[in-house]
Amino acid sequence: MKASLCVGEYCENAYNVEGLCYCLKENAFLLDLSIMNDKLVDWIGEECKVWELAKQLYPMVHKQGSLSVFVVTILQYVGMYDPEEILQVEQVLKQGAGLSNLEKRKSQIDYMVEKRKYAAAIRGYDMLLE
């Protein structure tokens, strides 16, 4: 059985990133700067009632902060993951920073190989070749 630590309150309105369903930790390689926006931070503060976290995130959104710092701040605040897991997420995000779309996509596919998601990786490599 797996237990999760919850912070804040259950929300009535789920947060939806257009065209992308994500999980900060498991799919960090899919994230980009579009995740850093007022809508997400407002949701964290207003719906989840985690005002202190939202207060930490607003300056990162408005000063064009680092994606890795933004995500790591959320993961550390929630406290669900140990520092080593958070460091891995941070490294994935930093590796993706500054890459072209093609390089980023290749990096994402390589990450799938590392996670032993071979079928998805093969489909991804085929799409890159096209």
Side-chain angles (χ1 to χ4, degrees), residues 6-120:
C6 296
V7 176
E9 297 179 9
Y10 285 106
C11 64
E12 292 181 23
N13 302 309
Y15 183 79
N16 182 18
V17 178
E18 279 184 45
L20 178 63
C21 182
Y22 72 95
C23 172
L24 290 176
K25 180 182 172 291
E26 292 301 319
N27 296 306
F29 61 92
L30 294 174
L31 300 176
D32 61 23
L33 290 173
S34 68
I35 192 93
M36 294 175 57
N37 61 66
D38 282 331
K39 188 175 177 182
L40 173 59
V41 178
D42 289 344
W43 177 80
I44 289 170
E46 294 170 15
E47 294 289 335
C48 299
K49 308 295 187 229
V50 186
W51 301 110
E52 186 167 321
L53 176 58
K55 197 171 158 182
Q56 291 175 34
L57 297 173
Y58 278 119
M60 293 177 205
V61 170
H62 294 280
K63 294 180 182 175
Q64 299 296 318
S66 159
L67 175 62
S68 61
V69 172
F70 183 84
V71 172
V72 165
T73 299
I74 295 169
L75 295 178
Q76 287 175 335
Y77 187 92
V78 172
M80 287 178 56
Y81 305 107
D82 61 47
E84 184 179 303
E85 290 175 299
I86 293 173
L87 181 60
Q88 289 174 345
V89 171
E90 183 177 22
Q91 289 172 343
V92 168
L93 292 168
K94 285 182 177 179
Q95 287 172 351
L99 296 178
S100 70
N101 287 337
L102 183 62
E103 292 168 323
K104 192 171 213 176
R105 184 67 186 133
K106 166 115 178 15
S107 177
Q108 292 167 349
I109 296 167
D110 292 344
Y111 182 79
M112 284 189 270
V113 171
E114 289 175 25
K115 292 294 184 180
R116 299 181 179 196
K117 297 178 181 181
Y118 300 120

